[in-house]
């Protein structure tokens, strides 16, 4: 009966492998959110100290706001793991990539800082 079956049908073993990959991807994303929360807590603390002492910075207020939003996203993802599931992981990833893109967008940065901001965004994106 091979000629009658559709090529879109998957065997039970293929379905099991895909499910295992999804679960593994979700666990890696949860680990990433936990590590990123710690990293962004340090960055937010450093930013506050720099703003208090009014040191010369190339960061703009827009970039500081984006960093705070990223910290908030990672904090929510880490504190409420029920919000992270197989169906919503792509939404979370898209929000993180949107904020990373906004961080180094020309409208958010100064001309002197643009090359460094692009490098930071690439590193945060996992490249």
């Amino acid at each position: 009966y091979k000629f009658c079956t559709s090529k879109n049908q998957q065997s039970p073993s293929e379905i099991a492998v895909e499910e295992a990959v999804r679960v593994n991807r979700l666990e890696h994303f949860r680990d990433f959110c936990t590590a990123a929360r710690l990293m962004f807590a340090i960055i937010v603390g450093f930013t506050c100290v720099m703003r208090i002492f009014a040191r010369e910075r190339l960061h703009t207020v827009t970039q500081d706001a984006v960093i705070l939003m990223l910290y908030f996203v990672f904090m929510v993802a880490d504190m409420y793991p029920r919000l992270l599931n197989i169906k919503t992981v792509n939404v979370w990833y898209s929000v993180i990539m949107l904020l990373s893109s906004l961080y180094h967008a020309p409208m958010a940065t100064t001309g002197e800082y643009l090359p460094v901001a692009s490098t930071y965004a690439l590193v945060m994106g996992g490249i």
Side-chain angles (χ1 to χ4, degrees), residues 100-125:
S100 298
S101 298
L102 285 177
Y103 177 80
H104 70 88
M107 66 184 178
T109 186
T110 60
E112 301 87 26
Y113 192 68
L114 185 60
V116 177
S118 295
T119 304
Y120 285 165
L122 289 174
V123 169
M124 286 189 301

Side-chain angles (χ1 to χ4, degrees), residues 1-11 14:
Y1 297 118
K2 267 190 170 176
F3 62 90
C4 294
T5 59
S6 172
K7 291 184 180 182
N8 294 334
Q9 292 178 349
Q10 294 179 329
S11 68
E14 289 175 338

Side-chain angles (χ1 to χ4, degrees), residues 3-4 6 12 18 28 32-33 38 52 56 58-59 67-68 70-71 75 78 85 90 93 104 106-109 119 123:
F3 62 90
C4 294
S6 172
E18 283 185 9
H28 283 291
F32 171 74
C33 287
L38 175 64
I52 289 171
E56 182 66 30
L58 296 175
H59 257 211
I67 286 178
L68 283 173
L70 277 166
Y71 176 64
M75 185 175 61
D78 190 39
N85 58 44
N90 290 329
Y93 184 75
H104 70 88
M107 66 184 178
T109 186
T119 304
V123 169

Side-chain angles (χ1 to χ4, degrees), residues 48-56:
C48 290
V49 168
M50 295 298 284
R51 289 281 180 194
I52 289 171
F53 292 115
R55 303 193 104 191
E56 182 66 30

Side-chain angles (χ1 to χ4, degrees), residues 39-113:
M39 180 183 75
F40 275 93
I42 293 168
I43 291 171
V44 167
F46 180 73
T47 300
C48 290
V49 168
M50 295 298 284
R51 289 281 180 194
I52 289 171
F53 292 115
R55 303 193 104 191
E56 182 66 30
R57 298 187 63 229
L58 296 175
H59 257 211
T60 63
V61 175
T62 307
Q63 286 176 313
D64 290 342
V66 169
I67 286 178
L68 283 173
M69 286 187 279
L70 277 166
Y71 176 64
F72 177 74
V73 166
F74 288 127
M75 185 175 61
V76 168
D78 190 39
M79 290 177 66
Y80 301 102
R82 287 183 152 196
L83 295 175
L84 276 175
N85 58 44
I86 292 172
K87 295 178 182 176
T88 63
V89 71
N90 290 329
V91 174
W92 284 91
Y93 184 75
S94 297
V95 168
I96 292 167
M97 289 298 106
L98 171 71
L99 291 173
S100 298
S101 298
L102 285 177
Y103 177 80
H104 70 88
M107 66 184 178
T109 186
T110 60
E112 301 87 26
Y113 192 68

